[in-house]
Amino acid sequence: MIYTISMLCCFLGFFMLYNTSQKAKLSVKGSFEKWLQQNKHIAKPLGILLIVLSFILLPLKDGFGVGTFTAFLLLMAAACLIIMIAPFHYIRFKHIAALVMVSFLLEFLFS
């Protein structure tokens, strides 16, 4: 369950930071994206806080070396996926909820 929460925090934090960027091609279709773009003073610290939370949870679970390495890999994966997929406007809440549920079930079954 820690991995799913950490993954969700990292991806959501990077998505928040991506939507507050001045250089990115931003979507105005979703209400969450509109809120992030209008409330940058709240979204940026919250995004950073979520990424830091991910960087705290993983070393607590796996130890300092492996946890930090896993957190950096997760951050790189989040960055690649969000930068590649977000301009196509494919990211929807129901897709994220389905991925989190599948991740949680797989983590629950294999641990």
Side-chain angles (χ1 to χ4, degrees):
M1 186 151 121
I2 296 292
Y3 294 113
T4 303
I5 292 170
S6 180
M7 180 181 66
L8 181 64
C9 287
C10 188
F11 274 76
L12 188 60
F14 193 86
F15 186 71
M16 287 178 159
L17 292 175
Y18 176 80
N19 273 297
T20 58
S21 172
Q22 297 292 327
K23 295 181 181 181
K25 179 183 174 187
L26 301 175
S27 168
V28 292
K29 289 185 178 181
S31 60
F32 185 60
E33 288 92 348
K34 287 180 190 176
W35 184 86
L36 289 173
Q37 293 163 14
Q38 292 170 352
N39 298 305
K40 291 181 182 182
H41 61 282
I42 297 172
K44 277 189 180 187
L46 190 59
I48 292 170
L49 182 70
L50 286 171
I51 291 174
V52 168
L53 180 66
S54 175
F55 268 76
I56 291 171
L57 286 175
L58 286 170
L60 287 176
K61 174 74 174 158
D62 292 335
F64 182 74
V66 174
T68 305
F69 182 68
T70 305
F72 275 113
L73 288 177
L74 186 60
L75 184 61
M76 286 189 294
C80 291
L81 288 172
I82 289 174
I83 289 172
M84 283 180 8
I85 295 173
F88 295 117
H89 314 297
Y90 287 145
I91 300 174
R92 300 282 184 257
F93 181 73
K94 61 182 176 181
H95 299 139
I96 294 171
L99 287 172
V100 167
M101 291 304 294
V102 167
S103 175
F104 177 71
L105 288 174
L106 287 173
E107 186 177 350
F108 181 72
L109 289 174
F110 291 122
S111 62

